[in-house]
Amino acid sequence: MRIVDAVYDELPEVLAGLGIGKVLGILFDLGVSSLQLDAAERGFAYRFDGPLDMRMDPSRGASAAQVLRDYDAAGLTRVLRDYGEERYAAKIARAIVAERERTPFETSGQLVELLTRVIPAAAQRSGGHPAKRTFQALRIEVNDELRVWERALPAALDALAVGGRIVVLSYHSLEDRITKTDLAAGARSSAPVGLPVELPEHRPYLKLLTRGAEEAGAAERATNSRSASVRMRAAERIRDTSKGSR
């Protein structure tokens, strides 16, 4: 077994470095490790007060605290709206910009306190913890998760040998949407509408192995509450799409 420290979209470089062409199996578990979530010093969890970091690899990129310090209101609104699907994104962004003029955001507790104050009480009663969506959005932005996944999945499919299978475990709708779109595109014909004969290069190159997205069973959810959000999709490569293949 070889263990390589790399980001998902570095898969082509990793395989090339190992002298591997095609592979027969790929598993992507896109969730954050519970060990990371439960470590207060990593800043992922709104349940604990700790430094606002949120980087999967603390040696790379800007931390969540730097994002809150450097982004303008429009940039923060985009992050919270697009990655957290936060209804009050603009209101939260304005509050963050105003608050940081007085005190820079350094800890998760500071951010949780602001969110508890800014988000309407009625929304907090019906929508779960007020910090949930903001923390998710910041984590995705800090680690460039969705853009990495948009690059990684096509690269993984290219690396899959005929007969090889890919399994993806997603934990929120945004990454699952990317997975669904790419796998579905590979499982249908790309022939132009009205073409009388389907050419070989237009035939599907994937076969879907799951009917939609599969969810964790009741027993799994009972013993592992974090599995409630998982969505699993799988596919098998059935045709070679490399240049010159038929």
Side-chain angles (χ1 to χ4, degrees), residues 4-232:
V4 180
D5 181 9
V7 182
Y8 295 141
D9 61 347
E10 296 172 343
L11 179 63
E13 292 79 12
V14 170
L15 292 178
L18 295 174
I20 297 173
K22 299 291 184 179
V23 297
L24 289 173
I26 300 175
L27 168 64
F28 283 105
D29 184 342
L30 304 182
V32 181
S33 165
S34 293
L35 295 176
Q36 290 179 318
L37 286 177
D38 293 337
E41 67 273 12
R42 300 298 299 276
F44 287 108
Y46 45 78
R47 302 189 313 277
F48 310 115
D49 190 19
L52 267 174
D53 194 314
M54 297 195 190
R55 290 172 294 177
M56 301 292 185
D57 182 347
S59 69
R60 299 190 187 199
S63 67
Q66 290 172 293
V67 169
L68 294 177
R69 181 194 68 197
D70 297 338
Y71 284 31
D72 62 15
L76 290 170
T77 298
R78 174 191 60 79
V79 169
L80 299 180
R81 181 191 62 234
D82 294 353
Y83 297 159
E85 299 176 290
E86 173 55 68
R87 178 181 176 186
Y88 301 100
K91 184 177 183 180
I92 293 169
R94 290 194 298 270
I96 289 172
V97 170
E99 182 70 21
R100 74 189 186 192
E101 294 299 320
R102 294 187 289 271
T103 308
F105 287 92
E106 296 178 349
T107 69
S108 51
Q110 288 176 271
L111 182 56
V112 169
E113 190 279 327
L114 178 138
L115 294 167
T116 303
R117 175 163 37 90
V118 170
I119 295 176
Q124 295 186 40
R125 287 193 294 270
S126 61
H129 197 286
K132 179 179 180 179
R133 291 182 177 84
T134 294
F135 271 63
Q136 172 183 290
L138 287 172
R139 192 200 77 221
I140 291 173
E141 175 69 9
V142 164
N143 297 288
D144 201 23
E145 291 179 27
L146 293 183
R147 286 186 287 268
V148 165
W149 185 230
E150 286 172 343
R151 297 187 295 267
L153 183 52
L157 295 175
D158 285 345
L160 205 60
V162 173
R165 296 184 171 190
I166 185 170
V167 177
V168 180
L169 302 175
S170 305
Y171 292 82
H172 59 74
S173 61
L174 299 173
E175 61 193 13
D176 183 54
R177 193 176 305 153
I178 295 168
T179 306
K180 175 183 177 182
T181 299
D182 282 13
L183 296 188
R188 63 173 176 262
S189 173
S190 61
V193 176
L195 195 70
V197 178
E198 182 184 52
L199 299 175
E201 60 265 29
H202 291 306
R203 291 173 186 161
Y205 65 89
L206 293 178
K207 178 176 72 175
L208 301 183
L209 301 177
T210 54
R211 191 179 182 88
E214 295 189 6
E215 303 179 19
E220 172 69 13
R221 293 196 301 271
T223 58
N224 176 17
S225 61
R226 286 174 176 162
S227 70
S229 61
V230 72
R231 300 293 181 267
M232 184 186 78

